[in-house]
Structure formats: C-alpha cells, structure tokens
Amino acid sequence: MPKLCQIAAMSILVACVVNASPKEIPSNEVIQLSAIEVNHPFCQSETFIETGQETFTAIANDLPGRKEYNELIRTFHRGQWDKLDASMELFESEFEDSPLREAVAFLKVQSLFDRLTNSNSPRIHEAEKSLREALLLYPRSKLIPTIQATVGAFWLKNGMYAQSLALFTAAKQEHPFHPFYCLFQFGIAENNYLLNEHEAAKKSFRAVIQKCNNPRLVTGAKLRLVELEFNRNPKESGADLERLYLSESHIVTRFYPGTLYNLGEFKFKQKEFKSSRFFFTEYLNSKKKDPDCAPYAVKRLGDIGIKTKAAIADILSSYLQTYDQYPKSDIGKYAYIQAMLMNYSEKSSAERQRRTQVIDEKLETIQDPKVRHVAALSKGLAVLDSSEKGAVDYLVNLVKANPQELKTPELSQFISSRLFKIIKKESETALSMGYQNESLKDEELFQPIQKAYDLWLKGSSFEKATRELYGELVKTRFSELFEKQKWSRAFETIDQWKESSLWPEKDKLRLYSHSIGVKLTQKIMDLESEAKTPLFQSLIENEDTMSDFLGADFLPLFVSAYHHSNNQTELVAWLKKMKPNRRLAQSSLGVTQEMKDFLVFVQAEALM
C-alpha cells in the first residue's frame, strides 16, 4: 500500500474510532474530578473553663483601698498586665492593714496564670511561687476554689491531664457546696474525655447535665457526648449537633466554635453546600477558633466553590487565602497546589512546565504523608487531563500500594476518558513517525495501550473503542511491515496481540483476520518461488498463532508452506486438519476468484 494511502487509512481509522467512542467528561467538570479531597479532621471543641472574670469583681463595701482595688479589677479585666503588676505592688505597700490584701494576693495569682500561653512559659515559676505564697498566707481563703479551677484549667489546656484531673477531683471533694462544684465536675469529665477514658467521661458529662444549671457547662457536656458518638454514627451525630446549635446557638457560637466547624464539615459531606459555607464562615469569624482547624475551614470554602461551580477567581481566592494565612501548614500548601492546578490543561506547555516545577517543590515541603499523597494524586490527574505523556505511569506508581484508590466511578470514567484520548493521539503519532522511522519498535506502539487497557479501560465505557483501536492498529502495522517484507516482525504483531488481554473473541476475530489472510494469500501468489522461502519460513515459525488467527479458510496457506519446504510429515498433518472440499464463502469480501482457485490448487497440489 502506498504511504499516502496508509496515512489516509489511518486518518479514517481515527475518525471512525472518535465517532464510536463514548462521550468524554465535559471540561467544566474536570476541576471537580481532579481536585481530590483531603479527609478533614474532626475539630475538637476547645475546653473553656474561665473563673477569674466571674470571681474578681468590683466591690461596694467601704473598706480601706476600695477605690484602688476596684481600679485593679478594671485593669485586670482589660488585660493590661504591666499596669496591673505595678498597681498591685503599689497597693501592697500603701494598704498594709487592708482586708482586701487577701483578694489582691489571689488576683495576682489569677493574673499570672491568665497571661501564661503554655507550660513552657518563662513566667510559670513566678505564677507557681505566687500561688504557694497566697496559700501559705491565706490557707482558708474562699478564693482558693477559684484558683484551683484556674490552675486545673491551665494544666488541662496544656495537656497535663493527670495533674488537672487530680486537682479537679480534690477540689470537688473539698468544696461540695461551692458554686464551682459543677465546674469541677466538668473539669473531671473533660480530663476523662481527653485521656480517652470514654465511659468515665460519659458518666461525668451526664452528671453535669443532670445536676448543673450553668447553661454553658450543660451545653458543653451535651456537645461532648455527641462528639463521643461521632465516629460510630456520624450522620446521626451530625443531626444532633445541628439540633444543639439551633437551640443554643448563642452559647455554641461564643464558647464552642469547634462545633461550627464540625457542622460545616458534616453539611459538606451531606452535599448541603450552602449550609456548609454558612457554618465555616461563622467559624472563621469566631475569635476562639482553633489554629489547627482554621486552615481546613478556609480551604473548604474553595472546595465548596468547586462543588457549586463558582467563578474560578473565587475558588482561586479561597485556596490562595488559605496559603497566605497559613503558609507553613500542610493544608495551606495543598491549597496552593490546588490553585496551581486550576485550568492546568488550558495553559501553554511552557506555563504547565513552570507550574509543575513549582508544585513539585511545594510537594517536597509537605510533612503529612497522607496530605502529600493526595496532593500528588491531584497533580497526576491534572497532568493526565492535559494529555501529558508519562501521566499514566506517574499515577500508577502513586497507587501501587492501593490500586483501588482511584477506582471510584467518577474518577474511573475521568481517567479512562483521558487515557483513551492519550493512547489514540500517541498511537496516531507513532504510526505516522513509523513511515519515516525504520527504528520504531512495536512495544512503543502496543505496550502503552495494553497497560492502559489492563489498568483502567477494561470494563469501562471505553473498552469497546480501545479494542477496536488496537485491532485496527495491528492491521495497519502488519500491512506496513508486510509491504517492507519484514515477515517475522509482521507475524510478531499478531503474536503480541494474542498474548494480550485485547485478543478478540472468536466471533470478533474474523473482522481482522480476513483482511490479513487475503493480504497474505495475495503476497504468496505474487512472489516468485525462491522469494517465497523466507515468508513461508516465518509463517511456519508462527504457525500456532497464525493458524488460530486466520482460521479454517486460510489453512491451505500452511499446506503450501510445508509443501514448499518439502516437509512431508507436517504436510500430511495439515492436510488432515482441513475439511475436504472446503472453499471460501462466495460472499467473502476482497477474495477474488483467482485467489479462491489458488487456495484450491494449493490443496490439490499437496495431495499429488
């Protein structure tokens, strides 16, 4: 076949396959599929036990230093610590006999613990020393329960749960009728919860709900009980959280903002994106939001934008804002990568290369292996969407440990769609190059298709189209090699096909075998006797595959080969395989009468 005819035939082949292929995923849905979600953690509501603001208040009794003491209280509530330290020192020097000195001593302790940020603070020793001095001077003070609650809350907040639990337990036993009794009970329950002593925590939280009138503590206990059930029954627990929010929204919003985050995540997974956006926005407006949860909340606004098909600019803004506000967090880095992947396939080759380099550099800095893995998957899918060569191997290597990771219906359809597009394009390119490039190897043409088929296309809506593409490629490649009298390589293309999972069923095989059988027969008819020798030798070497492929119609070709080589034993064996008086069907397309007569003659000649 002339080269121009071969190229034209290839163009027709590709056009036919495109028309027969399943519809690809629209480009406006690609962003949703290529942006894989990271599982966002449950945001644990922060423990909120505060006593100083409630206990230390201005007094009306006409006591020495009352005016100065009330000013101390105002300074304390404003958090003006330097001014407070100086004012307390002045008060102690001026009012040596005032009964308010006791309150000032404990106010000093309270203020020192309130300003500590963590247990490693350099002022921790000063706070503990001040506490010991106050307890030594006033061992029976009514302010001791307040300080016990403050220190217990400090230890609780800083992860020193055993010490905190012991202090709250002692305080509860020492002050059974104190107004802070419920607060001590809540502190015990919180420590049990954080120590993963869940049964004890449930019992303690239920006691808070049954015995306490403080709505803040009761609401906190109810929230904790819901959180304890969240992993076991997230859907029901999410509904319980929503009911609590609706009944106690003012308390939840002010004291337990983590609940707003969890409601946002719950609504997101329920695909109620409008409600999800509301709760995440409310959470981000809270002054008490957890710094570990906040990056996830900002990123979720971008995810919601993708789900609701918001403007690209708005989605980019959310992802870049996540990175700008939390550049050192893994989720902030992942959000930045997602921003770089937006409309990746629509960019120029140079811009894609630049973005890929930036993404790879950012991937290296992500510490959490799960986040890094998901970010890498997102990159792989975006690169695949742009039909970049090598995307398939990149994805395969990523999911070797868990090949089912990308087998969700949506992702499977997306990947198979893009893979078919790539192999069709690369096959066309490889064949067109092959007409000028004598060194083109068959594995460069066929193995990528076999690999893609086995991994993704088999069982997909692209299975039939892939099989048809592969079969037509074999026919085209066989014809090219045959015209160049590269007999062995031509037959090897059939043998590789048979060894692959793309080998057609019996009823489909004739669609391809008939035209090749006709081509082979015609070539044998055209060649001189001596020129037939290498062709017949190659045919004999591949007789198992070629006889299965060509079928009974063309068995005389093997008879002719063995007759030509004077191998009487094999000749007799092949004659026995043939049905007597078998002729090609009159309706066989492309089989001339001359060819039919030749095949009959071959059989007759062998029998002589």
Side-chain angles (χ1 to χ4, degrees), residues 69-117:
Y69 177 79
N70 287 342
E71 182 58 32
L72 288 178
I73 295 300
R74 285 190 287 271
T75 304
F76 166 72
H77 286 301
R78 293 176 189 140
Q80 297 173 324
W81 305 125
D82 291 338
K83 180 180 178 182
L84 179 64
D85 289 340
S87 298
M88 285 191 295
E89 185 177 351
L90 183 62
F91 184 95
E92 289 174 341
S93 64
E94 290 186 0
F95 300 97
E96 295 183 359
D97 298 326
S98 173
L100 293 174
R101 287 176 64 88
E102 176 184 336
V104 171
F106 284 99
L107 178 64
K108 181 178 181 180
V109 176
Q110 181 70 45
S111 70
L112 287 170
F113 274 98
D114 281 356
R115 73 185 83 174
L116 293 176
T117 55

Side-chain angles (χ1 to χ4, degrees), residues 54-73:
E54 300 174 3
T55 302
F56 294 97
T57 58
I59 62 171
N61 296 347
D62 189 14
L63 296 173
R66 181 191 68 178
K67 178 181 177 182
E68 288 78 5
Y69 177 79
N70 287 342
E71 182 58 32
L72 288 178
I73 295 300

Side-chain angles (χ1 to χ4, degrees), residues 181-193:
Y181 178 86
C182 283
L183 190 146
F184 298 147
Q185 180 67 58
F186 188 84
I188 292 169
E190 276 290 291
N191 280 293
N192 289 146
Y193 172 81

